[in-house]
Every structure is written in C-alpha cells, then in structure tokens.
Amino acid sequence: MTNNNMYFVANWKMHGNTNDIERSKSIIKISKLKKFKNHKIIYCPPYTLLKTFFDKVKKSRIFVGAQNTHPGTEFGPFTGSINSKLIKATGAKYIIIGHSENRKLGDTNFIINKKIKSALKEKLKVIFCIGEKYSERKKKITNLVLKKQITKGLIGIKKNENIIISYEPIWSIGTGLIPTNVELKKNINFIRKILNSLKASKKMKILYGGSVNPVNAKQLAEISEINGFLIGGASLNSKKFIDIIKKTIN
Ligand code: PGA
C-alpha cells in the first residue's frame, strides 16, 4: 500500500533553464489537488535557478532545494563556492548532500558530515544520500557500507528531525536498473535499524533514488517502508515526473 505522505524530489543535476521552470506549471496544479495534500514535491535545480524557481512556486505547495553546499558555515574566500547561508537566501528549504556524483568528486563522509551540520545550522532540511557501489553489492558488503555512511555522516548530530535519508544504490543511478522489491525492502529496513540505533526519530523519512520512472514507480511504491523518491533523469520531463507521481499516489 502506498504511503500517505510521499516525497517526490526532482534532482535536475546539471540541467535546466528558465523555460524548464515554466513547465513546472502542470506540477503546481497537481500539488494543489486535495488528494495531494499530504504529499510533497521538492524541486532541486542548479544553484543558478534556485531564486527564479522559488519565486515561481512560492505561492504553491512546491518546495525548492539545492543539490550541494560548501561545508563552511561563514562567508569567506572560497572562489566559486556556495554555502548554506547563500542557499537559504534564495528561498530554498532543502538541500541534497552526499550524492554519489559528489562523493565521486571527493566528498568524504567527513566532508559530508560538515556539510550536513552547516545546512542544519541554517535550518535547511537535508536530503542525505547514501548507497553502495555495484562492486560492494557483489562483495555482499552493502550493509557495512550503508552503516559507515550513515554513522559517519551523522556524527555529532543530535537533533536530526530535519534529515531525510535517500537510499540510492550507485549501480542504479542513471542505468535503468533497480533493485528487486525484496532487496530494496531489506536494505531500507537495515537503514531504519541503524537510524534506530542512533536514536533517530522514528518519523525520519527514507526515500529511494535510482532510475525511478513511470514504468517502475508503481512497483517501487508497493514497498510501504519507502517514503518517497529522488528522481533524476525522469524529473527533467514534466510529463514523466507527473506520471511517476500519479502512479505512486493513485
Ligand atoms: P536517476 O538519478 O533517476 O537519473 O537514476 C537518481 C539520482 O540522482 O539519485
């Protein structure tokens, strides 16, 4: 049965322009439907579009988020960087941290922990991404990897009600491959177990990300432990994005 409080996070990655924002009109309409009352849509466009996007959707029930942040909390001489203070000023309420595409570029668990703390300091809600590589899954060390990412990423963070976990097997991102429901359920339950051991709120959401599309959304939504999706490629096409939402909540 589908969860009654689903999150749909559109991760535009390094794509998009102001015309694409116009196309979000149809999504705004959906967000106003009565049956959508308890669900949430969060658009995460590139930094350069945050403010424009926020102005467009601020009167709707759609939220805006950034895709990354600098770990520093104060302003400073960091050419080309954007920190959580600057993100907050755009009107964004959410921030994706720890995405595997940034881990690949050098984000360690230590840096991710600093980024999460900096975002929480600005009262932004963090979408904290974790997930194993294909080789790690093959070696059957998925649990070990997830545990390390969660515990190190959340070191020193006591109040974590503003954190949402997004479980994204790296081998699934952009590949069209998704885990079976059995595997996914098992991994989500394991993540919940780790969160419980850290005394995290039972209400902390766990999303799934990786090749979510209109064809597999219904099947994925059958896993009641999943509280929503982080959608990359398919979120760039508003028709596909709407289809995913409809298939999930209907
Ligand atoms: P994808 O991206 O939907 O294109 O696989 C997911 C993600 O960014 O986590």
Coordinates of all heavy atoms in Angstrom, one line a residue, residues 11 13 99 101 168 172-175 209-212 230-234, ligand 1:
N11 N 15.7 15.9 -8.9 CA 17.1 16.3 -8.9 C 17.5 16.6 -10.4 O 17.7 15.7 -11.1 CB 17.9 15.2 -8.3 CG 19.4 15.5 -8.3 OD1 19.8 16.6 -8.6 ND2 20.2 14.5 -8.1
K13 N 20.1 17.9 -11.4 CA 21.6 17.8 -11.7 C 22.0 19.0 -12.5 O 21.5 20.1 -12.3 CB 21.9 16.4 -12.4 CG 21.3 15.3 -11.6 CD 21.8 13.9 -12.0 CE 21.1 12.9 -11.2 NZ 21.6 11.5 -11.3
H99 N 25.4 13.2 -2.4 CA 25.0 12.4 -3.6 C 26.3 11.7 -4.1 O 27.4 12.3 -4.1 CB 24.4 13.4 -4.6 CG 23.8 12.7 -5.8 ND1 24.5 12.0 -6.8 CD2 22.5 12.4 -6.0 CE1 23.6 11.4 -7.6 NE2 22.4 11.7 -7.2
E101 N 27.4 11.3 -7.0 CA 28.1 12.1 -8.0 C 29.1 13.1 -7.4 O 30.1 13.4 -8.0 CB 27.1 12.7 -9.0 CG 26.5 11.7 -9.9 CD 25.1 12.0 -10.4 OE1 24.7 13.2 -10.3 OE2 24.4 11.1 -10.9
E168 N 20.3 5.4 -2.4 CA 20.5 5.3 -3.8 C 21.6 4.4 -4.2 O 22.8 4.8 -4.1 CB 20.8 6.8 -4.3 CG 19.9 7.8 -3.7 CD 19.9 9.1 -4.5 OE1 20.8 9.3 -5.3 OE2 19.0 9.8 -4.3
S172 N 22.4 1.8 -9.6 CA 21.1 2.0 -10.1 C 20.9 3.4 -10.7 O 19.9 3.7 -11.4 CB 20.1 1.8 -8.9 OG 18.8 1.8 -9.3
I173 N 21.8 4.3 -10.3 CA 21.6 5.7 -10.8 C 21.9 5.9 -12.3 O 23.0 5.6 -12.7 CB 22.5 6.7 -10.0 CG1 22.1 6.6 -8.5 CG2 22.4 8.1 -10.5 CD1 22.9 7.5 -7.6
G174 N 20.9 6.3 -13.0 CA 21.0 6.6 -14.4 C 21.2 5.3 -15.3 O 21.6 5.5 -16.5
T175 N 21.0 4.1 -14.8 CA 21.3 2.9 -15.5 C 20.1 2.2 -16.0 O 20.2 1.3 -16.8 CB 22.1 1.9 -14.6 OG1 21.3 1.6 -13.5 CG2 23.5 2.5 -14.2
G209 N 16.2 6.4 -4.5 CA 16.6 7.1 -5.7 C 17.4 6.1 -6.6 O 18.2 5.3 -6.1
G210 N 17.2 6.2 -7.9 CA 18.0 5.4 -8.8 C 17.0 4.8 -9.9 O 16.2 3.9 -9.6
S211 N 17.0 5.5 -11.1 CA 16.2 5.0 -12.2 C 14.8 4.9 -12.0 O 14.1 4.0 -12.6 CB 16.8 3.7 -12.8 OG 18.1 3.9 -13.3
V212 N 14.2 5.8 -11.1 CA 12.7 5.7 -10.9 C 12.1 6.3 -12.2 O 12.6 7.4 -12.7 CB 12.3 6.6 -9.7 CG1 10.8 6.6 -9.6 CG2 13.0 6.1 -8.4
L230 N 13.7 10.1 -5.0 CA 14.6 11.1 -5.5 C 14.7 10.7 -7.0 O 15.2 9.7 -7.3 CB 15.9 11.2 -4.8 CG 16.8 12.4 -5.1 CD1 17.6 12.8 -3.9 CD2 17.7 12.1 -6.3
I231 N 14.3 11.6 -7.8 CA 14.2 11.3 -9.3 C 15.1 12.2 -10.1 O 15.0 13.4 -10.0 CB 12.7 11.5 -9.7 CG1 11.8 10.6 -8.9 CG2 12.6 11.1 -11.2 CD1 10.4 11.2 -8.7
G232 N 16.0 11.6 -10.8 CA 17.0 12.3 -11.6 C 16.4 12.5 -13.0 O 15.5 13.4 -13.2
G233 N 16.9 11.7 -13.9 CA 16.6 11.9 -15.4 C 15.1 12.1 -15.6 O 14.8 13.1 -16.4
A234 N 14.2 11.3 -15.1 CA 12.8 11.4 -15.4 C 12.2 12.7 -14.9 O 11.1 13.1 -15.4 CB 12.1 10.2 -14.8
Ligands
PGA1 P1 18.3 8.9 -11.9 O1 19.1 9.7 -10.8 O2 16.8 8.9 -11.6 O3 18.6 9.6 -13.2 O4 18.8 7.5 -11.9 C1 18.8 9.4 -9.5 C2 19.7 10.2 -8.6 O5 20.2 11.3 -8.9 O6 19.9 9.8 -7.5

